[in-house]
Amino acid sequence: MTDQTTLEQEIAAEQRHLDRVYARLAELRRSAAQAEKEGYRLARVGNFGALVERDAMVFHAAQRRYVLDAEHEGLVFGRLDLRTGQVLHVGRLGVRGENAETLVVDWRAPAAAAFYQATPAEPLGVVRRRTIQSSAEKVTRIEDDLLDPESAPAEMAVVGDGALLATLSRATGRGMRDIVATIQREQDEAIRSPGSGVTIVSGGPGTGKTAVALHRAAYLLYSDRSRYAGGGILVVGPSSVFVEYIASVLPSLGEETATLHSLGSLFPGMSATRTDPPEVAAVKGSLRMRKVLERAVRDAVPDGPDELRLLYRGELLRLERRELDGVRDRALSRGARRNEVRRVAFDAVLAALYAQARRLGVPRLPEQRAFEDEIIDGRSSASSSRRGGPGCTPRHVLGWLARPERLRRYAGGILSRAETALLVEAYRVLDAQGLTVADIALLDELDALLGKPVQRARAKRDPYQLAGGVRELSTFADRQRAARAAARERPEDYRDYAHVVVDESQDVSPMQWRMVGRRGRLASWTVVGDPAQTAWTGDPQELDRARDQALGRRRRHRFALTTNYRNSAEIFAVAAAEIRRLYPDLQLPTAVRSTGVEPVALTVAADGLPAATVQAVDALLTEVEGTVGVITPVPRRDEVAGWLDGHGGSRLQVVTSLQAKGMEYDGVVLIAPSEIRADPGSGVRTLYVALSRATQRLTTIDPTP
C-alpha cells in the first residue's frame, strides 16, 4: 500500500504541472484571440498583400483556438519517467511552453509510443509509467507501473497497484473516453500497423478490439491527415446502441472527421433497429438473395395496367400487356439496369404506338418526333418519364416481396420451400413493423441493381457569382473555408472512403459485406472481431467469400489480442464455461485481474421474475459506481424495461442479447440465460457474449419452467 502522505505529495506534484499546462493553454488561447483580432485590424490597410495576410492570420488563429477549446477536458493523462532522467507528460494535445520546452506530448506522436508499448520485459527506456486521472483541471488520482526497478532512483515514489488494472477496476461511465490510457503493447502494435492493406484484429471478450479500431482511426488521421480526412474514415458497428456508446471516443482523441454508422443505418435515408430471428436473418443475409432481387427488379410493377390505351385523332391505339412486357425485357437485355433505361423504354413505347398508328392509317399522321411530342405535350408524368423520371426506388421494390405470390415466384429454384416460407412470414409484417437491420443490406443491393435515373447535367453554380455575371468580392479565407466545407459536405450516399473500420465483424452477413464493400472500394481497412461470438447461422464458406470479395486482394496484417482486460477472472470463468460447450479446445483470452467477488446465479419462479429483477438491479446500483446493464432475450426487452421504469436514470441501460455486442458495463443483470441458450442456431455464442459484458459484478436470473 502507498503511504497516504506520499500519495498526496505525488498528486500535488502532478497538479502543479497541470496548473502550468492550463496556464499556458490560457496564454495560447488569448494569443490566438489576439491574433484573430489583429488580423481583422489589417482589413483597414488597403493593399492586397495585407488582405491575404489577414485571411491567413484569422484562419490559423481561429483554428488553433478551436483545438485548444476542444481538448481542454482531461488534457493530460500520462507521464513517462525515462532512464535518461527526462520526464514526458502524455496527453490529447501537444503543448509547448513559452521557451519552446515540451509540456505535453501528443499521444499519437512517436515520442509517446512507449507509454503504450513498454512492458516490464521490454521497458523501452521507461523506468516509471504513470496514468493521471483528472476532473476538469484537478488531478483526482494517479497510478504507477514500475517497469525498470534497477534503474529507479532511490527517491522515486511508486503509487498504486498498477495503472492498467486500477483503470479497469474503476467505473467506466457511459462512454470510453479514458480508455486511451489503458492501451497496452499488443493493442498498440495493431493501432500503428501500416495504413495500407487490411489490418485484421482478432480477440476474445474484453481484449480491447473496439479500442484498437477507434484509436487506429485516430492514429491514421494523425499520421496522414490529407489522405484520411480528405477521403474520410467510415466506422461501422453492429447496432445503434453500440454506435451511440462509441460516439464520444474519436472526438475525445481530437478527431471529429470520421463517420459512424450501424449496419442498420448505412443506406441513405433509411434506418432500422429491429432484428430478425436468426433463421430469417440467415436467409436475408445469404448471397442467394441477390438472385431473388435480380428477378424482382426485372418484374412488372404490381397493379400496373394490363394494357395501354390512347385515343389519337379518332383512332384507339392500344398496347397489350404482352407488348409492354416485351418492351421492358428488351430494354433490360444484356444486364442493363432498370432506372438507367427508363427513357429508352419510354421511347420504345412511343415508337410502338407510332408504328401502330401507321398500320391503322391515322389521317394526317406527322413525323415520328412530332407525334411523340404531341403525345407527351401537357402530360407532366409522361414528360417526367421522358426525361428519366424518379425511377423505381429500392424501398418500392422491396415492398413487392410482401406479396407472397411474387416472393414465391422470385425465390423459386433459389431458396428452399422452408426458407421461402420464412421470408413470406417475415415480410407479411413489413408495412406494420417496418424494416429490419438485414433489410438495409437488401435495399443497398436493390439500389445497385436498379441503377440511378439518367438526369440531364446541370451547370454548376459559382458560389461567388451574383446576378448579371458579376463576381462578389471574397477573401482567400472565404474561399478556403468554402472548399473545406464542400469537402466535409459529402453526398448522403458517399462511397469513396479512404479507410473503413468494421467492428464486431463476425456478425456481418454476406449481403452486409457487399453493402460495406461498396463504400470501401478505394479504401484500406481495419476489421476486428471474434469468431466465437458470431450470431451468424448461415453458410460459413459463403460468409468467407463475401468478406474476401469486399476486402479484395489487399495485403493482410493480422494481430491477435490475448489478454482480457475487461472481466474479472471470476466473471470470465462463467463465460468461458459457456463457450466451452461448443468449442472445448478454443483458445480463450486470459483474464488478468481478480476481484474476489463471484457472480450471483438466481433461479426464481416465473411470476417472481419482475420483483427479483428490480431487487437485483437496485443492489448493483449501490454496489458499483458506474453503469449497470440489464441484458434480456430479444422478445423480453420491452417487458423488462417496463419493470425498471424509474430505476437508475442514465446509469441503467436495458438491451437485448444482440444489442449487447461490443458493450461493457460495471454491473450486469442477465435475464433468462437459459432462454438465450435455447436458440438452436447461435444461442450458446450469444449467451457467451452476454456473460462477458460486466467488469465488476454479474447477476443472472433464470425463471423456472
Side-chain angles (χ1 to χ4, degrees):
M1 292 293 290
T2 303
D3 179 79
Q4 185 64 26
T5 303
T6 302
L7 175 61
E8 292 172 353
Q9 289 174 348
E10 292 299 306
I11 288 179
E14 297 303 340
Q15 185 65 57
R16 286 193 294 271
H17 183 77
L18 200 63
D19 290 342
R20 183 183 175 192
V21 170
Y22 279 118
R24 178 60 177 161
L25 213 62
E27 291 178 12
L28 294 173
R29 192 179 293 107
R30 286 193 297 270
S31 177
Q34 183 63 29
E36 193 173 358
K37 183 178 179 180
E38 290 296 325
Y40 284 116
R41 286 179 57 190
L42 288 174
R44 300 191 183 99
V45 181
N47 63 75
F48 180 76
L51 293 178
V52 173
E53 184 179 351
R54 179 205 73 175
D55 293 343
M57 288 180 64
V58 169
F59 168 67
H60 288 294
Q63 186 181 50
R64 182 63 173 167
R65 190 157 50 84
Y66 170 79
V67 171
L68 296 175
D69 289 340
E71 302 303 330
H72 186 88
E73 179 72 21
L75 176 58
V76 180
F77 57 77
R79 166 176 167 162
L80 295 175
D81 291 81
L82 305 182
R83 192 179 299 164
T84 61
Q86 184 181 12
V87 174
L88 297 177
H89 282 82
V90 181
R92 308 182 193 282
L93 180 72
V95 180
R96 289 187 178 273
E98 54 274 12
N99 298 318
E101 71 276 20
T102 300
L103 298 180
V104 185
V105 176
D106 191 299
W107 74 274
R108 292 156 290 197
F115 184 79
Y116 305 105
Q117 296 175 339
T119 67
E122 294 185 62
L124 303 180
V126 178
V127 178
R128 179 180 66 180
R129 173 176 53 203
R130 168 172 290 176
T131 58
I132 302 169
Q133 300 173 32
S134 60
S135 176
E137 298 182 9
K138 183 179 180 181
V139 177
T140 58
R141 187 173 178 179
I142 57 177
E143 295 286 344
D144 290 337
D145 280 331
L146 188 61
L147 303 181
D148 188 359
E150 295 182 359
S151 301
E155 68 276 9
M156 176 175 282
V158 179
V159 177
D161 302 321
L164 174 66
L165 300 186
T167 299
L168 290 168
S169 296
R170 77 177 193 276
T172 61
R174 285 302 295 264
M176 297 170 64
R177 180 178 177 89
D178 293 327
I179 200 168
V180 68
T182 71
I183 299 171
Q184 296 300 282
R185 180 171 182 173
E186 66 177 10
Q187 297 171 314
D188 192 70
E189 289 174 346
I191 289 170
R192 298 172 194 260
S193 68
S196 60
V198 180
T199 294
I200 299 176
V201 183
S202 61
T207 54
K209 299 183 297 296
T210 297
V212 167
L214 297 177
H215 285 79
R216 176 160 171 74
Y219 177 72
L220 292 175
L221 285 164
Y222 176 81
S223 61
D224 193 350
R225 178 164 295 279
S226 61
R227 174 184 176 185
Y228 294 107
I233 290 183
L234 171 66
V235 180
V236 180
S239 68
S240 57
V241 173
F242 178 79
V243 169
E244 179 184 355
Y245 174 61
I246 66 174
S248 65
V249 178
L250 287 173
S252 78
L253 300 177
E255 302 299 350
E256 298 181 343
T257 57
T259 301
L260 275 63
H261 274 293
S262 68
L263 289 168
S265 67
L266 259 183
F267 187 74
M270 296 289 178
S271 182
T273 57
R274 189 167 68 92
T275 57
D276 291 293
E279 63 275 13
V280 176
V283 180
K284 290 184 178 182
S286 170
L287 294 178
R288 292 172 295 155
M289 280 300 297
R290 188 176 195 278
K291 297 180 180 179
V292 175
L293 299 178
E294 284 176 343
R295 289 181 176 178
V297 299
R298 302 179 76 87
D299 200 7
V301 176
D303 303 324
D306 290 331
E307 61 179 4
L308 173 62
R309 293 188 176 194
L310 180 68
L311 186 64
Y312 180 74
R313 296 190 179 183
E315 290 287 348
L316 180 64
L317 306 180
R318 188 172 77 178
L319 296 180
E320 297 181 350
R321 185 62 175 265
R322 174 179 52 82
E323 295 174 279
L324 295 173
D325 289 346
V327 168
R328 185 186 67 252
D329 292 342
R330 287 190 295 274
L332 293 174
S333 62
R334 295 186 298 276
R337 298 194 291 182
R338 184 167 189 147
N339 285 338
E340 294 173 354
V341 297
R342 278 176 59 82
R343 183 172 178 177
V344 173
F346 186 77
D347 288 344
V349 168
L350 291 176
L353 290 171
Y354 184 73
Q356 188 175 120
R358 291 187 63 180
R359 289 197 303 272
L360 294 175
V362 173
R364 301 184 307 280
L365 184 65
E367 294 294 325
Q368 182 171 341
R369 183 58 184 268
F371 168 83
E372 294 175 356
D373 290 341
E374 190 175 342
I375 292 296
I376 67 174
D377 184 40
R379 299 173 183 265
S380 60
S381 61
S383 179
S384 174
S385 298
R386 179 70 177 271
R387 293 193 302 269
C392 287
T393 67
R395 181 63 181 86
H396 184 200
V397 177
L398 188 69
W400 300 354
L401 303 187
R403 299 177 177 235
E405 71 285 355
R406 282 189 168 240
L407 180 52
R408 294 188 182 99
R409 178 156 46 89
Y410 300 155
I414 299 174
L415 304 179
S416 69
R417 289 185 177 180
E419 290 172 327
T420 303
L422 284 173
L423 287 188
V424 167
E425 188 61 32
Y427 282 121
R428 196 184 303 277
V429 298
L430 179 63
D431 290 336
Q433 298 186 13
L435 299 168
T436 66
V437 172
D439 289 325
I440 299 300
L442 302 186
L443 290 177
D444 199 71
E445 193 70 36
L446 284 168
D447 184 66
L449 291 170
L450 288 167
K452 305 295 184 184
V454 178
Q455 302 287 354
R456 290 179 178 175
R458 296 181 179 179
K460 293 184 178 180
R461 178 183 178 273
D462 184 345
Y464 301 108
Q465 185 166 304
L466 303 179
V470 178
R471 288 177 60 85
E472 64 175 318
L473 293 176
S474 62
T475 67
F476 175 77
D478 292 334
R479 294 189 291 276
Q480 289 290 89
R481 191 178 299 110
R484 289 191 300 274
R488 286 195 301 268
E489 294 172 2
R490 299 185 178 101
E492 188 179 18
D493 194 19
Y494 182 70
R495 299 192 175 200
D496 295 325
Y497 288 99
H499 192 80
V500 176
V501 177
V502 182
D503 202 356
E504 301 294 337
S505 62
Q506 74 278 352
D507 288 333
V508 181
S509 74
M511 291 299 288
Q512 288 169 338
W513 272 116
R514 290 180 60 83
M515 173 175 63
V516 179
R518 293 187 185 98
R519 288 147 181 83
R521 291 192 181 100
L522 307 176
S524 55
W525 292 69
T526 297
V527 178
V528 301
D530 177 15
Q533 299 184 51
T534 183
W536 172 249
T537 60
D539 183 353
Q541 294 181 344
E542 185 181 62
L543 183 62
D544 291 342
R545 289 198 305 272
R547 181 181 60 246
D548 290 343
Q549 184 178 11
L551 300 179
R553 297 183 179 180
R554 300 169 179 86
R555 183 180 178 184
R556 273 37 169 194
H557 310 282
R558 299 183 184 274
F559 299 87
L561 306 180
T562 60
T563 304
N564 181 340
Y565 300 117
R566 175 196 299 143
N567 305 129
S568 67
E570 294 83 358
I571 290 174
F572 191 62
V574 176
E578 189 65 37
I579 198 61
R580 294 287 189 209
R581 292 170 178 262
L582 282 183
Y583 309 111
D585 301 322
L586 182 67
Q587 290 292 112
L588 295 176
T590 302
V592 295
R593 66 186 173 90
S594 173
T595 60
V597 180
E598 295 291 336
V600 176
L602 303 176
T603 302
V604 300
D607 59 359
L609 184 60
T613 299
V614 172
Q615 184 177 357
V617 168
D618 287 344
L620 284 191
L621 287 169
T622 62
E623 292 172 7
V624 301
E625 296 179 4
T627 56
V628 171
V630 180
I631 303 177
T632 76
V634 173
R636 284 185 177 266
R637 192 268 166 200
D638 292 342
E639 176 190 15
V640 174
W643 302 342
L644 297 168
D645 186 31
H647 290 259
S650 62
R651 291 179 58 202
L652 183 68
Q653 188 173 44
V654 182
V655 295
T656 70
S657 54
L658 296 180
Q659 292 173 330
K661 288 285 180 78
M663 303 292 289
E664 69 175 45
Y665 305 95
D666 297 294
V668 165
V669 176
L670 177 57
I671 305 299
S674 60
E675 294 180 16
I676 299 174
R677 182 190 297 117
D679 183 275
S682 61
V684 171
R685 294 191 295 270
T686 302
L687 182 55
Y688 172 56
V689 173
L691 288 168
S692 59
R693 299 303 98 191
T695 66
Q696 298 180 45
R697 299 286 192 277
L698 171 65
T699 300
T700 62
I701 309 178
D702 235 343
T704 56

